[in-house]
Amino acid sequence: MTDVTSVHSLLQTTHDLPFQILVAEGDASLLNATELFLSREGYQVTIAADGLQVMKLCQEQTPDLLLVGSNLPLMDGFQLCQRLKRNAQWQDRPILLTIFQEDDDIIQRLYDVGADDYLAKPIQWVVLSHRIHRLLSHRHACRVIQKGLSESLSQSEMKYRSLFNAMLNGFALHQMILDEEGSACDFRYLDVNRAYEIMIGLAAHQVIGRRGKELFPNLDSEWLNRCAKVALGGSPVRFHYYCKDVNKHFEVFAFSSQRGQVATVLLDITARKNSEDALLLAKKKAEEGNKEKNEFLMRLSHEIRAPLNVILGMSDLLTESALQEKQQHYVATVRTAGESVLEVISHILDMSLESTQQPPCQISTSKETENAQSVCSTSSVSSVPRILLVEDSPDNRTLVHAYLKNHSYLLEDAENGAVALEKLAEGSIDLVLMDIQMPVMDGYHATRQWRSWERERGLARVPIIALTAHALPEDVCRCLEAGCDIHLAKPVRKQVLLDTLQKCFGEMNSGKK
């Protein structure tokens, strides 16, 4: 393999050193550190702190490479790159973009705007040095080859040939072959360098003089059309190409020094492409893992909160009865233990949701009375409010009945959503306490169907309070999106439920007046 140092020395003999690099970065400390590092590497460095300053400097000078941060003020790195690449002077000048994270959308965007490569922050100086050297070597080799092909054989040919064979980039010269209609149908190899031989796994004597489709049966029209356009008088182009026959990804720079011929300089980016694909796969797996984790958290929350609802609720009711001192102590102990379990599970869920970066709910929610929405005033209420309790658990039904026993409410039961719809259709229900996870028909479907029934018949809206052990943020969103007006998470304490009902019926009576 060609030694990098020897290639660099060859570049020095054909370029007026030092190479000029324009560094643009919004972080002042990073900008100064980068300037110092690159200056010590032997580059001539100019710095800029914002995008507009970069545009001005690019009009005044012609740097060999631009190192730009994606978060530049006034004009960010993506906008800057897109504007510069529209200028013919910058089409073959490399732009290295620094980004905060290797996200697939960001990587795709930077290639779309014309960036030649990227580097993730925090910057590793060794990696930066390698990337800059590779980009400058690639560009300079392309220019030297262009110059060498356009000149007749002279005394400089030996120097040109040395560089030609020492290049780390693959090079091939092609004669385009046209069909009767003047369209490119194939090409013939005129010359290749050592790096190209290594890339395709064939020696020069096996390639020169032969047609492309002989060697690469899967050669597609994309390659032929791009190269033909350049060979027949078009401007130089840079594009990405996947060669099925050698299973490699290349960044290709194509130019022409003689009509009908096209020269291509290839950079093998297979490793980088594989890394990007691995990143995409890892992201997909992470998203799938987060989905499974969230589903597990939802089940965990429900399975713990549901029995806690009965334990804490019954404990509250027992404290209201006449108990001996020792019995009061036992009840207080049970209640304290239940509250501790609830605190632990809430803490676990909060930490888990933070680690998966759950998006906040975009719908205003109300888990407690003070946050309840003023939604109950749209319906009227009878003198003795009739409440439909939709709950599949006998223990939870017993608890709610006990909560409301000594209050002026008529309570009717429905063990699932389907039964609830039948009773709602009778027209005597003033408010619904809706569980979510039930057999036959769950609370989401029942609520949606009833809201649709109301709209179709122009009925007043019956308030529906979700009374459920599903307490994660996405659960609250789903309840409200389904048509529930208020979300109360189990375990629901007696006073919270009473205050919510009082507020809701108070608004209904005010609306009626």
Side-chain angles (χ1 to χ4, degrees):
M1 182 174 290
T2 306
D3 182 71
V4 175
T5 306
S6 65
V7 175
H8 188 61
S9 62
L10 279 168
L11 289 175
Q12 291 180 359
T13 64
T14 55
H15 184 272
D16 295 329
L17 292 182
F19 284 100
Q20 296 181 11
I21 297 179
L22 174 57
V23 180
E25 172 58 55
D27 184 332
S29 59
L30 179 57
L31 179 63
N32 293 332
T34 306
E35 179 187 18
L36 178 61
F37 172 77
L38 294 179
S39 297
R40 289 176 176 175
E41 289 281 296
Y43 297 108
Q44 180 178 323
V45 183
T46 305
I47 61 173
D50 61 66
L52 295 181
Q53 189 179 2
V54 173
M55 293 299 296
K56 181 180 179 181
L57 288 172
C58 287
Q59 293 174 355
E60 299 172 352
Q61 53 188 258
T62 54
D64 297 289
L65 181 142
L66 173 61
L67 174 62
V68 57
S70 60
N71 63 326
L72 275 181
L74 302 184
M75 182 189 301
D76 65 33
F78 297 100
Q79 297 170 317
L80 182 63
C81 183
Q82 190 171 36
R83 288 189 62 175
L84 287 174
K85 287 297 184 178
R86 291 174 183 166
N87 189 324
Q89 186 180 5
W90 271 93
Q91 287 180 358
D92 70 333
R93 293 179 185 273
I95 298 179
L96 179 59
L97 206 62
T98 58
I99 58 178
F100 284 101
Q101 60 183 38
E102 294 182 282
D103 179 85
D104 57 308
D105 292 332
I106 293 176
I107 292 172
Q108 184 59 52
R109 183 185 175 196
L110 67 88
Y111 285 136
D112 289 343
V113 298
D116 296 273
D117 207 342
Y118 69 91
L119 190 64
K121 295 179 179 178
I123 292 177
Q124 302 294 320
W125 300 114
V126 174
V127 178
L128 174 62
S129 178
H130 174 76
R131 295 278 171 89
I132 289 177
H133 180 267
R134 181 175 59 78
L135 289 171
L136 288 175
S137 299
H138 179 66
R139 176 180 182 257
H140 192 60
C142 292
R143 296 186 68 185
V144 170
I145 291 170
Q146 261 184 302
K147 182 179 179 181
L149 288 173
S150 62
E151 293 176 349
S152 59
L153 294 180
S154 64
Q155 295 180 351
S156 64
E157 184 177 3
M158 290 301 296
K159 179 188 291 186
Y160 160 70
R161 268 292 168 186
S162 297
L163 178 61
F164 179 72
N165 287 317
M167 284 175 59
L168 296 176
N169 305 102
F171 171 84
L173 180 62
H174 316 276
Q175 176 70 49
M176 299 306 300
I177 300 175
L178 308 180
D179 58 21
E180 295 180 355
E181 298 178 355
S183 301
C185 60
D186 206 342
F187 64 83
R188 190 181 306 281
Y189 279 99
L190 300 179
D191 202 357
V192 296
N193 72 344
R194 177 58 181 160
Y196 191 90
E197 295 178 85
I198 295 172
M199 287 180 181
I200 67 171
L202 295 172
H205 71 271
Q206 297 175 295
V207 173
I208 296 174
R210 299 185 65 182
R211 292 191 175 203
K213 290 185 176 179
E214 290 182 67
L215 301 174
F216 307 110
N218 294 307
L219 185 69
D220 60 27
S221 57
E222 177 192 2
W223 176 279
L224 290 173
N225 291 338
R226 287 178 180 268
C227 289
K229 185 176 181 180
V230 174
L232 299 178
S235 301
V237 296
R238 187 190 301 273
F239 59 93
H240 291 172
Y241 181 73
Y242 171 66
C243 181
K244 296 179 181 178
D245 296 283
V246 297
N247 191 27
K248 289 185 177 181
H249 294 268
F250 297 104
E251 182 178 291
V252 183
F253 177 68
F255 60 92
S256 177
S257 59
Q258 182 176 330
R259 186 173 180 80
Q261 294 183 3
V262 62
T264 57
V265 180
L266 278 65
L267 175 64
D268 188 346
I269 60 170
T270 305
R272 186 179 76 189
K273 190 68 172 61
N274 289 341
S275 297
E276 292 171 3
D277 291 342
L279 177 64
L280 292 175
L281 181 61
K283 181 183 178 185
K284 181 179 179 182
K285 288 183 177 179
E287 290 172 346
E288 291 173 352
N290 282 340
K291 181 179 179 182
E292 293 177 0
K293 181 179 180 180
N294 289 339
E295 291 173 352
F296 168 75
L297 290 173
M298 291 170 65
R299 292 195 300 271
L300 178 66
S301 174
H302 184 273
E303 296 306 317
I304 293 179
R305 286 177 178 274
L308 277 179
N309 187 53
V310 177
I311 293 171
L312 292 176
M314 291 299 182
S315 298
D316 287 344
L317 292 175
L318 282 172
T319 59
E320 297 175 0
S321 61
L323 298 175
Q324 298 177 2
E325 183 178 351
K326 183 175 288 189
Q327 291 172 328
Q328 290 176 350
H329 174 70
Y330 291 158
V331 171
T333 301
V334 171
R335 184 168 60 181
T336 301
E339 290 173 342
S340 296
V341 173
L342 178 61
E343 184 178 353
V344 169
I345 187 61
S346 297
H347 183 62
I348 292 173
L349 293 174
D350 288 343
M351 290 182 63
S352 300
L353 289 170
E354 289 174 4
S355 68
T356 54
Q357 297 182 340
Q358 286 289 319
C361 181
Q362 298 300 315
I363 303 175
S364 59
T365 65
S366 51
K367 292 186 179 181
E368 302 296 343
T369 310
E370 62 268 24
N371 294 325
Q373 298 167 320
S374 299
V375 295
C376 302
S377 59
T378 58
S379 178
S380 61
V381 61
S382 55
S383 56
V384 180
R386 190 176 188 88
I387 299 173
L388 179 62
L389 173 61
V390 189
E391 172 64 68
D392 65 313
S393 167
D395 290 340
N396 282 319
R397 290 201 299 268
T398 300
L399 179 64
V400 175
H401 275 270
Y403 277 174
L404 304 183
K405 180 179 179 181
N406 297 321
H407 299 271
S408 300
Y409 298 120
L410 294 178
L411 196 58
E412 188 171 346
D413 293 335
E415 61 270 22
N416 59 61
V419 175
L421 290 177
E422 294 176 1
K423 296 194 174 186
L424 278 166
E426 296 173 2
S428 59
I429 302 300
D430 296 307
L431 181 144
V432 180
L433 296 175
M434 180 74 75
D435 187 24
I436 295 299
Q437 185 171 312
M438 298 178 290
V440 184
M441 180 184 291
D442 64 29
Y444 295 128
H445 288 84
T447 301
R448 290 193 187 96
Q449 289 195 27
W450 179 248
R451 293 303 185 214
S452 178
W453 175 281
E454 288 176 332
R455 288 193 298 270
E456 291 172 358
R457 290 160 178 77
L459 301 177
R461 183 183 179 95
V462 175
I464 299 178
I465 299 175
L467 199 62
T468 173
H470 290 293
L472 298 181
E474 55 263 43
D475 299 325
V476 180
C477 289
R478 286 190 67 189
C479 286
L480 300 181
E481 288 170 349
C484 295
D485 301 298
I486 298 172
H487 177 279
L488 292 180
K490 295 177 182 177
V492 178
R493 312 309 283 266
K494 178 181 177 180
Q495 196 57 49
V496 170
L497 179 59
L498 291 175
D499 289 347
T500 303
L501 292 176
Q502 183 180 4
K503 179 177 176 64
C504 198
F505 284 123
E507 291 178 356
M508 292 166 69
N509 288 326
S510 298
K512 185 177 180 180
K513 292 177 183 179

